[in-house]
Amino acid sequence: MTTTTLPDLTVTPLDGAQFGASVSGLDPRNITPDLRDALWGLYKERHGLLCFEFAHMLEADELHALTAIFGENEFAPGRINGIGKRAAPGEEHLTVEEQVARLQAEGVDPYMAYIGNLDPKTLEVNQKGGKFYGEWEWHTDMSYIPKPPTFSLLHARVIPPEGGDTGFCSQVMAAAALPADLRERVRNVTIKHDSTYGSSGQLRPGMTAPASPIEAEGHAHPVIRKILTTGEEALFLGRRTNAYIPGMELAESEALLNEIWAHATLPEFCYQHRWQVGQVVVWDNRMMLHMRHPVDESMHRLMWTQTKGEAVVAA
Ligand SMILES: [Fe+2]
């Protein structure tokens, strides 16, 4: 890719990646329909990964405006019953609107997640601890629901001197390079995406540990999905931990999952992003896996939003 200039924007490929582009010069509070179309064109051309460069930390409304380029806001996990959270006893009757109103009255943005161990307002280390969302394992955000979020956005507020990079792994490239015999064996196969554990291995709020992956709660999706906006195919694996292929013996499911995952995460499909403060990285969850690399947890903070998704369509 040669350096491209959209109106008022400078676009360059991401260092060392076969996909993705860096975009600078964007004003999140001034997104015109033409600019939105140009950014969608760039997203398709660069296979689902864009990095917006800003010289400052964004306000929440600016991050929401960027999110709106790509779709309607989805709730952050753990905020609304049924989305990474089980209703507390006696609160099963609350409507989504009632839950949103209650969160907003408490000063909580139901659409924003804070990743790290720093207080959202002061950016000081949160002495209570326990606020860190570990992301050590390749995964797709919230793939355990029927309509997983399509886009995720991460905004770097505080970054550590080392570590804490985010890895991205193109599942479009992985699908295109899928060996013929493996493709045949995963044709018409689904994977159940576990909802009980998060990416760092912690049980989600209100969840109990299943006896085995067979009993784990979560939605099943086709292994190879069609990306409706680009016509491409992508592997859609979710997360390896507690995954299960319905209809198989557990040992058979584990063996096939291990084989698919070994192919899907080959280094040639992957890119490791080193953060700079002010950046917003947006990616298409249908097209790629992501993971956080190890970091000193007191030194790291990101803001995260995501868009609503769609039912997964088999390729
Ligand atoms: Fe994630």
Side-chain angles (χ1 to χ4, degrees), residues 4 14 30 38 41 59 109 111 147 151 154 169 182 212 231-232 245 267 278 288 298 300:
T4 305
L14 291 173
N30 188 21
E59 301 295 334
D109 182 339
Y111 301 101
K147 296 181 176 181
F151 290 95
L154 277 179
C169 188
L182 188 52
S212 87
E232 294 167 299
I245 298 176
M288 61 187 68
S298 67
H300 187 74

Side-chain angles (χ1 to χ4, degrees), residues 8 22 24 40 43 69 96 122-123 159-160 162 168 177-178 187 215 232 238-239 247-249 277:
D8 304 321
S22 164
S24 53
W40 268 83
Y43 137 79
I69 295 172
V96 170
T122 65
L123 298 183
I159 60 171
E162 61 181 357
F168 295 95
L178 198 62
R187 203 162 56 89
E215 287 82 29
E232 294 167 299
R239 184 179 285 115
M248 287 189 177
E249 297 290 330
V277 168

Side-chain angles (χ1 to χ4, degrees), residues 115 133-135 137-142 152 154 166 199 239 283 285 289-292 304 306:
I115 301 172
Y133 290 67
E135 300 253 306
E137 185 183 23
W138 287 114
H139 67 280
T140 302
D141 289 335
M142 287 170 60
S152 292
L154 277 179
T166 301
S199 309
R239 184 179 285 115
W283 70 93
N285 266 304
L289 297 165
H290 63 281
M291 70 172 289
R292 179 179 60 69
W304 171 33
Q306 54 190 353

Side-chain angles (χ1 to χ4, degrees), residues 16-20 46-47 49 138 166-179 182 235 237 259-272 287-290:
Q18 299 184 64
F19 51 91
R46 298 304 295 161
H47 308 294
L49 179 69
W138 287 114
T166 301
F168 295 95
C169 188
S170 171
Q171 296 304 286
V172 172
M173 292 174 66
L178 198 62
L182 188 52
L235 297 186
L237 307 185
E259 196 173 344
I260 301 168
W261 274 95
H263 169 79
T265 54
L266 288 171
E268 56 261 41
F269 309 143
C270 299
Y271 160 70
Q272 184 169 334
M287 291 185 173
M288 61 187 68
L289 297 165
H290 63 281

Side-chain angles (χ1 to χ4, degrees), residues 36-37 39-52 63-77 111 139-143 145 147-155 168 225 227-230 232 236 280-288 290 303-310:
R36 181 183 180 280
D37 288 348
L39 291 170
W40 268 83
L42 184 64
Y43 137 79
K44 291 177 185 174
E45 182 186 327
R46 298 304 295 161
H47 308 294
L49 179 69
L50 296 177
C51 176
F52 295 110
L63 186 55
H64 283 319
L66 283 178
T67 310
I69 295 172
F70 297 97
E72 187 183 348
N73 258 319
E74 177 60 282
F75 296 112
Y111 301 101
H139 67 280
T140 302
D141 289 335
M142 287 170 60
S143 65
I145 64 175
K147 296 181 176 181
T150 299
F151 290 95
S152 292
L153 292 90
L154 277 179
H155 172 44
F168 295 95
R225 73 182 292 181
I227 311 297
L228 300 179
T229 44
T230 68
E232 294 167 299
F236 194 64
V280 176
V281 170
V282 53
W283 70 93
D284 189 324
N285 266 304
R286 300 169 303 181
M287 291 185 173
M288 61 187 68
H290 63 281
M303 289 162 73
W304 171 33
T305 59
Q306 54 190 353
T307 70
K308 289 191 187 303
E310 62 203 16

